[in-house]
């Protein structure tokens, strides 16, 4: 039995040796096959492989769902929505149509600041291929592709307030001028659609688009916009059976239309020559939306430092003048050393329309060093309490009275949170006017935030901060200090 076992073991070892010889012979005959099999069998699944497969899976599912969404009937999404939330309510236009309302008075829309599209008609070589393409409104793609070229063409001449040499940027015409500010951010589109439900169309609706960068009177000087509005309103009255127009201005458009009504009745050549009865003959009603009759405090900070970090990308445009409607992180940084932030600040200071948005009424309306209409409110870390009566605080849940601070919003600009909360008797300030009269010194810094074209010396920059607090009564002095050319044109 031991012999048999040894014989069996011997045969087994010979078999193994024979098998190894065969494998080696195969490797000689095909030297590439065996290493590939060995590497394949010994390869381990890495984290990188998992990430690639996951990304591929997500992209495949995304494209499949996108294809499915585009090929399915248009009624299916609405059917699914109604199945989940119940029947959708009719939009206002459909409700009015069911009530029997139809077209009556023609309608004129007056858009506000920054909501009207601007397109290029003539430009420098860097703007090649952009003829009649939107530089403002739409996708803002050119801002990211060529920021310096875009800022150059969106700027006005700093001496005249009109077009720079070799550049012509004009407002988009028609209802598309301000129906959407950007993809997904409507302005007038919903109102236009609802009016269309009861029979309105382009002959009974008119978008009074204008170049919102220009001063109000310069829109007439350069583009004859006020004359065009006058002619179109007269035409709409004449072609609609003598029915007067209903005007719907929004934001700065409210101020612009107020200027129009004074202009149209004033005698030529400075006015429209319509006479004192023109508005009564052609205007049925004016429905203002968000009119900044007393100005916008943020316009001051916008002119001062283009500061608007609390406003997100494009939803934020209207009553927040000169807010960044672009990605703030992009403009805060130098792109390949181009200093886009400084160029943006210089650009906005050529827009004379900002003068119409400066707070009006002085300290009587906006408050002074030690009082403001808002009264008490939370500190910056808590939700703002916008209520003039502190007696109503017990009706608001989850309020921590320890967080309440006497922040005075009459101080429109202050250098430091402690200064914003300190009593006026504890604030030491230099005389800003005396500093303005001082001799100009060369600016040796690279700081463009406080200055205009390096015209202000370092000692004057320090005086701005040393003055510490600015109210509605002193912001004009500040703007004369940091933006003299803009204020000279406004004067």
């Amino acid at each position: 039995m031991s012999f048999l076992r040894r014989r069996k073991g011997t045969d087994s070892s010979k078999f193994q040796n024979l098998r190894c010889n065969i494998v080696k012979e195969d490797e000689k005959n095909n030297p590439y096959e065996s290493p590939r099999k060995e590497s394949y069998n010994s390869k381990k699944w890495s984290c990188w492989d998992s990430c690639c497969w996951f990304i591929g899976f997500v992209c495949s599912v995304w494209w499949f769902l996108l294809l499915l969404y585009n090929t399915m009937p248009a009624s299916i999404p609405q059917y699914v929505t109604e199945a989940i939330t119940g029947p959708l309510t009719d939009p206002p236009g459909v409700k009015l149509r069911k009530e029997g309302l139809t077209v009556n008075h023609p309608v004129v829309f007056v858009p506000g600041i920054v909501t009207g599209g601007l397109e290029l008609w003539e430009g420098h070589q860097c703007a090649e291929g952009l003829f009649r393409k939107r530089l403002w409104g739409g996708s803002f793609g050119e801002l990211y592709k060529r920021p310096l070229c875009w800022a150059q063409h969106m700027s006005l001449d700093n001496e005249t307030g009109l077009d720079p040499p070799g550049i012509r940027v004009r407002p988009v015409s028609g209802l598309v001028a301000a129906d959407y500010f950007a993809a997904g951010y409507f302005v007038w589109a919903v109102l236009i659609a609802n009016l269309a439900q009861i029979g309105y169309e382009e002959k009974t609706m008119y978008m009074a688009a204008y170049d919102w960068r220009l001063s109000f009177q310069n829109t007439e000087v350069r583009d004859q916009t006020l004359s065009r509005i006058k002619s179109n309103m007269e035409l709409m009255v004449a072609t609609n059976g003598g029915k007067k127009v209903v005007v719907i201005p929004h934001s700065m458009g409210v101020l612009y239309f107020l200027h129009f009504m004074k202009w149209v009745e004033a005698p030529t050549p400075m006015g429209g020559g319509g006479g004192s009865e023109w508005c009564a003959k052609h205007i049925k009603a004016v429905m203002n939306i968000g009119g900044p009759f007393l100005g916008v405090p943020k316009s001051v900070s916008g002119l001062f430092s283009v500061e608007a970090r609390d406003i997100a990308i494009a939803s934020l445009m209207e009553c927040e003048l000169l807010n960044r409607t672009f990605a703030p992180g992009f403009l805060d940084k130098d792109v390949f050393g181009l200093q886009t932030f400084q160029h943006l600040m210089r650009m906005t200071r050529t827009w004379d329309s900002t003068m119409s948005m400066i707070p009006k009424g002085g300290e009587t309306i906006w408050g002074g060093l030690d009082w403001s209409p808002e009264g008490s409110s939370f500190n910056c870390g808590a939700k703002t309490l916008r209520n003039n009566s502190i007696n109503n605080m017990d009706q608001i849940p989850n309020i921590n009275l320890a967080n309440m601070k006497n922040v005075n919003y009459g101080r429109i600009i202050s250098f430091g949170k402690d200064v914003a909360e300190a009593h006026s008797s504890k604030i030491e300030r230099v005389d800003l006017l005396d500093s303005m009269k001082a001799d100009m010194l060369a600016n040796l810094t690279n700081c463009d935030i406080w200055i205009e074209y390096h015209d202000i010396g370092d000692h004057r920059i320090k005086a701005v901060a040393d003055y510490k607090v600015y109210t509605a009564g002193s912001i004009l002095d500040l703007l004369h200090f940091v933006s003299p050319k803009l204020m000279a044109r406004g004067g």
Side-chain angles (χ1 to χ4, degrees):
M1 294 297 293
S2 61
F3 173 75
L4 292 177
R5 283 196 297 271
R6 284 196 303 270
R7 181 66 181 267
K8 186 176 181 180
T10 304
D11 293 341
S12 176
S13 61
K14 288 182 178 180
F15 177 77
Q16 293 293 336
N17 293 334
L18 180 62
R19 183 175 179 275
C20 291
N21 292 333
I22 294 174
V23 171
K24 290 179 180 180
E25 190 69 24
D26 290 340
E27 292 177 358
K28 292 180 181 180
N29 297 334
N30 191 358
Y32 299 101
E33 181 178 358
S34 179
R36 183 166 62 249
K37 290 182 179 179
E38 181 179 357
S39 62
Y40 177 78
N41 294 330
S42 62
K43 184 179 180 181
K44 294 182 180 179
W45 191 264
S46 65
C47 181
W48 177 254
D49 296 325
S50 301
C51 293
C52 292
W53 276 99
F54 178 74
I55 295 174
F57 174 76
V58 171
C59 293
S60 301
V61 172
W62 169 255
W63 284 111
F64 174 75
L65 293 177
L66 189 63
L67 176 65
L68 185 64
Y69 178 79
N70 290 325
T71 55
M72 71 171 60
S75 59
I76 291 182
Q78 181 178 354
Y79 174 80
V80 173
T81 303
E82 292 182 356
I84 297 174
T85 63
L88 299 178
T89 58
D90 293 331
V94 175
K95 292 180 179 179
L96 295 176
R97 184 179 60 190
K98 291 179 178 179
E99 295 175 3
L101 272 73
T102 57
V103 178
N104 192 3
H105 294 278
V107 176
V108 175
F109 308 109
V110 185
I113 192 169
V114 312
T115 52
L118 300 175
E119 59 186 14
L120 181 69
W121 281 83
E122 180 185 1
H124 296 161
Q125 186 176 2
C126 66
E128 184 178 357
L130 298 180
F131 175 69
R132 292 205 66 193
K133 298 291 181 63
R134 288 200 181 196
L135 295 184
W136 187 268
S139 63
F140 289 96
E142 295 308 317
L143 168 64
Y144 297 96
K145 294 179 182 177
R146 27 190 162 180
L148 285 186
C149 182
W150 175 86
Q152 181 184 20
H153 285 75
M154 282 295 295
S155 300
L156 297 172
D157 188 273
N158 206 37
E159 301 294 337
T160 65
L162 298 172
D163 290 323
I167 293 177
R168 281 188 296 152
V169 176
R170 297 294 182 266
V172 179
S173 59
L175 295 176
V176 297
D179 54 353
Y180 285 90
F181 175 73
Y185 294 94
F186 67 85
V187 185
W188 296 97
V190 174
L191 181 56
I192 293 172
N194 280 278
L195 289 175
Q197 295 286 349
I198 59 176
Y200 278 88
E201 51 190 270
E202 204 153 6
K203 68 180 181 180
T204 50
M205 291 189 290
Y206 168 61
M207 183 70 70
Y210 58 96
D211 192 335
W212 45 263
R213 302 172 301 161
L214 299 173
S215 65
F216 293 165
Q217 191 62 25
N218 274 345
T219 61
E220 174 66 17
V221 172
R222 195 194 72 177
D223 301 333
Q224 294 76 50
T225 302
L226 298 174
S227 297
R228 293 173 185 272
I229 296 175
K230 176 177 179 285
S231 300
N232 277 283
M233 292 176 67
E234 292 173 343
L235 178 63
M236 295 179 77
V237 173
T239 56
N240 285 276
K243 294 181 179 179
K244 303 177 185 180
V245 301
V246 173
V247 185
I248 309 177
H250 176 219
S251 188
M252 196 184 78
V254 174
L255 305 180
Y256 186 71
F257 192 72
L258 288 176
H259 177 84
F260 167 80
M261 289 192 292
K262 297 298 292 183
W263 172 89
V264 75
E265 294 185 345
T268 56
M270 291 300 294
S276 59
E277 300 296 325
W278 191 95
C279 291
K281 292 179 180 178
H282 297 87
I283 300 175
K284 174 66 176 179
V286 179
M287 302 174 59
N288 295 320
I289 303 176
F293 294 102
L294 297 176
V296 179
K298 186 150 286 190
S299 64
V300 181
S301 59
L303 283 172
F304 188 55
S305 61
V306 202
E307 179 272 323
R309 301 177 184 273
D310 56 327
I311 305 300
I313 200 166
S315 50
L316 26 187
M317 18 276 165
E318 260 314 286
C319 291
E320 306 291 347
L321 174 65
L322 291 182
N323 287 332
R324 294 188 196 175
T325 51
F326 336 105
F330 173 79
L331 292 171
D332 281 342
K333 300 177 181 178
D334 293 349
V335 181
F336 304 111
L338 299 181
Q339 297 179 333
T340 52
F341 181 83
Q342 287 83 349
H343 287 279
L344 176 65
M345 184 184 61
R346 292 184 177 185
M347 175 187 70
T348 55
R349 289 187 183 178
T350 65
W351 296 349
D352 291 342
S353 59
T354 57
M355 295 298 298
S356 66
M357 306 289 277
I358 292 176
K360 305 172 182 65
E363 297 183 2
T364 304
I365 300 296
W366 296 97
L369 290 177
D370 293 319
W371 78 277
S372 63
E374 292 83 359
S376 299
S377 101
F378 291 119
N379 63 358
C380 297
K383 294 182 179 179
T384 303
L385 178 62
R386 298 208 176 265
N387 195 323
N388 290 335
S389 176
I390 200 170
N391 297 325
N392 295 330
M393 290 176 51
D394 55 348
Q395 302 176 6
I396 305 177
N398 300 325
I399 291 182
N400 185 2
L401 297 180
N403 289 332
M404 293 295 294
K405 291 184 181 293
N406 235 348
V407 178
N408 181 10
Y409 290 101
R411 305 176 184 185
I412 294 179
I413 291 181
S414 58
F415 287 86
K417 186 177 179 181
D418 55 339
V419 176
E421 299 173 357
H423 192 270
S424 59
S425 60
K426 300 180 180 179
I427 301 176
E428 296 180 2
R429 298 187 294 174
V430 301
D431 194 329
L432 183 63
L433 296 178
D434 288 345
S435 180
M436 292 178 65
K437 297 176 183 177
D439 294 334
M440 300 291 291
L441 297 178
N443 180 32
L444 303 178
T445 68
N446 293 323
C447 178
D448 253 355
I449 295 181
W450 318 106
I451 67 176
E452 182 173 286
Y453 299 97
H454 298 284
D455 288 341
I456 300 176
D458 292 341
H459 70 296
R460 306 186 74 201
I461 298 173
K462 184 176 182 298
V464 172
D466 288 342
Y467 196 73
K468 297 186 184 303
V469 177
Y470 296 85
T471 65
S474 58
I475 55 175
L476 289 181
D477 294 335
L478 173 65
L479 294 179
H480 276 291
F481 192 85
V482 299
S483 188
K485 295 181 180 180
L486 172 67
M487 298 301 290
R489 295 193 303 271

